[in-house]
């Protein structure tokens, strides 16, 4: 569905996809999708664009009147799994294997990837060789937050041991061009497995092991905010994490 109101407003003011995109600081392809596919920009971006065009934002995008209301299904939600144990390891592997620009992994240990897919480090090396920027954030076994999680999940020192095991798995990648490994001590509300504009989010619930908690698969959408929320969360944790040095 096209947005003819927006097309007319741009034509009246002599705006092109590129010139309007430059003003509102988005990609010209995003503006093209607003016009030709009826995509909904973020509210702040839409307000700025409407102001530049001299139009009422709700005239250009009537759907924004209801955009603050809860939606039954987010356009960013690809799939929802009852628990991580229901997600085939191949789903994680295939997602990361498709990455062309960025892979971000935020976990405490997640040794299931290395154990179920022995070529996991090779996959990451291959992605880095092809130009991917790869960031792996693992739990610091000495962190009080990691140790507290073990008590909450009645896992004792097992989670600390798994953090150390995860570090042993990933240590050979330290120093590989394009790959950086760090350890963090943050409270882990969600484990994140990002590949470009997609992410698998393993939500955590108090007292529940990660494999028993839900997973949702998100894909970034111009009209959504969920993907960016998790991407920004990763960046915030990464900024506090400590680099792992080569052996």
């Amino acid at each position: 569905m096209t947005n003819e109101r927006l097309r007319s407003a741009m034509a009246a003011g002599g705006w092109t996809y590129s010139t309007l995109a430059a003003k509102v600081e988005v990609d010209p392809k995003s503006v093209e999708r607003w016009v030709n596919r009826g995509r909904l920009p973020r509210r702040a971006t839409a307000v700025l664009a409407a102001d530049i065009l001299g139009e009422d934002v709700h005239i250009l995008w009537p759907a924004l009147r209801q955009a603050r209301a809860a939606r039954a299904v987010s356009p960013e939600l690809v799939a929802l799994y009852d628990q991580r144990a229901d997600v085939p390891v191949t789903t994680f592997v295939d997602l990361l294997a498709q990455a062309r620009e960025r892979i971000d992994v935020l976990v405490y240990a997640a040794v299931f990837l290395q154990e179920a897919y022995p070529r996991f480090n090779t996959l990451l090396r291959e992605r880095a060789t092809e130009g991917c920027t790869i960031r792996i954030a693992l739990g610091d076994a000495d962190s009080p937050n990691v140790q507290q999680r073990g008590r909450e999940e009645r896992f004792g020192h097992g989670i600390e041991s798994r953090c150390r095991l995860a570090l042993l798995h990933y240590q050979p990648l330290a120093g590989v061009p394009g790959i950086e490994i760090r350890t963090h001590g943050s409270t882990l509300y969600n484990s994140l497995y990002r590949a470009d504009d997609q992410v698998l989010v393993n939500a955590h619930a108090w007292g529940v092991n990660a494999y028993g908690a839900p997973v949702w698969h998100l894909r970034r959408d111009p009209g959504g905010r969920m993907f960016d929320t998790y991407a920004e969360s990763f960046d915030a944790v990464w900024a506090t994490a400590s680099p792992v040095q080569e052996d």
Side-chain angles (χ1 to χ4, degrees):
M1 184 177 69
T2 61
N3 187 333
E4 295 305 321
R5 296 185 183 91
L6 178 57
R7 189 191 305 277
S8 296
M10 290 178 60
W15 293 93
T16 66
Y17 299 144
S18 296
T19 56
L20 183 58
K23 279 289 186 180
V24 297
E25 298 182 349
V26 299
D27 190 281
K29 290 182 180 178
S30 295
V31 179
E32 182 180 1
R33 285 191 286 266
W34 300 347
V35 175
N36 294 326
R37 300 186 188 178
R39 293 288 181 85
L40 189 67
R42 296 178 188 173
R43 179 174 292 273
T45 303
V47 170
L48 176 58
D51 184 61
I52 291 169
L53 296 171
E55 297 284 348
D56 185 305
V57 67
H58 295 125
I59 296 296
L60 296 179
W61 292 285
L64 285 177
R65 294 185 187 276
Q66 291 82 36
R68 293 188 184 276
R71 291 175 294 192
V73 179
S74 166
E76 293 183 278
L77 184 62
V78 176
L80 176 62
Y81 302 88
D82 288 345
Q83 54 185 7
R84 196 192 74 197
D86 294 334
V87 187
V89 171
T90 53
T91 298
F92 290 88
V93 172
D94 290 347
L95 180 75
L96 299 180
Q98 294 171 18
R100 294 295 177 268
E101 297 179 358
R102 177 175 300 283
I103 290 175
D104 289 335
V105 175
L106 171 63
V107 296
Y108 271 167
V111 293
F112 73 94
L113 287 174
Q114 301 276 357
E115 292 171 347
Y117 189 73
R119 291 190 70 258
F120 193 67
N121 277 7
T122 300
L123 183 155
L124 295 179
R125 287 177 183 272
E126 290 172 350
R127 291 294 84 232
T129 299
E130 293 296 322
C132 257
T133 297
I134 299 173
R135 300 184 294 179
I136 309 292
L138 306 171
D140 179 351
D142 296 321
S143 163
N145 288 322
V146 170
Q147 295 167 5
Q148 179 66 25
R149 176 62 60 81
R151 291 190 290 271
E152 292 170 355
E153 296 181 2
R154 299 180 295 279
F155 203 42
H157 297 293
I159 192 167
E160 299 162 40
S161 298
R162 292 177 79 79
C163 286
R164 293 190 173 94
L165 178 58
L167 185 57
L168 286 175
H169 280 310
Y170 286 102
Q171 181 73 53
L173 297 176
V176 173
I179 301 178
E180 187 172 0
I181 315 295
R182 294 187 183 183
T183 57
H184 69 96
S186 65
T187 301
L188 191 64
Y189 299 108
N190 301 281
S191 295
L192 306 177
Y193 307 84
R194 175 186 177 182
D196 295 338
D197 285 346
Q198 298 188 66
V199 62
L200 290 167
V201 180
N202 185 188
H204 296 303
W206 195 96
V208 177
N209 293 117
Y211 62 77
V215 171
W216 42 85
H217 180 179
L218 302 177
R219 179 183 288 112
R220 177 183 265 145
D221 184 274
R225 176 64 187 154
M226 294 175 66
F227 178 94
D228 288 338
T229 295
Y230 289 110
E232 291 165 8
S233 175
F234 180 95
D235 288 339
V237 173
W238 187 255
T240 69
S242 302
V244 172
Q245 305 299 327
E246 296 181 62
D247 281 337

